[in-house]
């Protein structure tokens, strides 16, 4: 049996059809409309559980889950000791710096974000001094209220920025969902993990159908 930590939310909705393409079927309503967190699927050889995206790398690093699926943004921010096995190419978006258009660049700007590690590193690499302020969400509010001049956040359709009168200023990195593995599980359950990774890989390439 492989235990797989899946992220609640947007990525999960795109994962269900990808797993189906790889030949793994499970009723999608189990994930979308239920409050249940753990699903045992003996026929597929999986136990699946649903975690907050930012917690998925934690479950995988500690070996509670052999595998996990999570966005590259979360993987970079969590900085956990896990193997990244596969780019699933779903849930594409980007990490970007955004702010009000035409704002004068501040000498020591405040940057609000859910991704403090990524933001610190990005500005440090550019030799820019900033004060990073951690927020749990609705980060676009920060420049509107004067909490911060800039934000570092995910941009997907750009709708949230547009509707709040903000613009993307710099692109940090492209983001897609990744398959990650616990380092010990990867050795001890190599065959099962590779079978799953290969089938998902082919599903990503559009080479298989159940
Ligand atoms: C994410 C992100 C942006 C928005 C971007 O927020 O933090 O706010 O989606 O998507 P868009 O470019 O398609 O508008 P989420 O919905 O996860 O909520 P949060 O802000 O509370 O984290």
């Amino acid at each position: 049996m492989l235990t797989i930590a899946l992220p609640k939310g947007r990525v999960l909705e795109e994962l269900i059809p990808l797993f189906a393409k790889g030949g793994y079927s499970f009723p999608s309503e189990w994930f979308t409309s239920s409050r249940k967190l753990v699903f045992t699927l003996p026929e597929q050889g999986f136990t699946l559980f649903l975690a907050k995206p930012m917690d998925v790398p934690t479950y995988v690093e500690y070996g509670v889950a052999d595998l996990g699926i999570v966005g590259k943004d979360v993987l970079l921010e969590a900085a956990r000791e896990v193997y990244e096995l596969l780019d699933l190419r779903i849930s594409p978006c980007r990490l970007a710096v955004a702010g009000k258009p035409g704002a004068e660049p501040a000498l020591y700007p405040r940057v609000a974000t859910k991704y403090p590690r990524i933001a610190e590193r990005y500005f440090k690499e550019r030799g820019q001094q900033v004060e990073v302020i951690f927020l749990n969400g609705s980060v676009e509010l920060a420049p509107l209220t004067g909490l911060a001049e800039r934000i570092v956040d995910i941009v997907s359709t750009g709708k949230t920025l547009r509707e709040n009168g903000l613009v993307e200023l710099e692109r940090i990195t492209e983001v897609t969902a990744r398959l990650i593995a616990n380092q010990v599980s990867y050795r001890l359950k190599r065959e099962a993990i590779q079978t799953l990774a290969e089938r998902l890989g082919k599903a990503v390439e559009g080479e298989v159908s159940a």
Side-chain angles (χ1 to χ4, degrees), residues 131-151:
E131 180 184 352
V132 172
I133 301 174
F134 174 76
L135 289 178
N136 281 299
S138 300
V139 173
E140 292 81 1
L141 201 51
L144 304 181
T145 55
L147 179 68
E149 287 81 24
R150 298 270 185 274
I151 61 171

Side-chain angles (χ1 to χ4, degrees), residues 10 114 136-140 153-161:
R10 297 177 195 210
K114 285 185 286 187
N136 281 299
S138 300
V139 173
E140 292 81 1
D153 201 15
I154 286 296
V155 181
S156 177
T157 61
K159 186 170 189 269
T160 312
L161 288 183

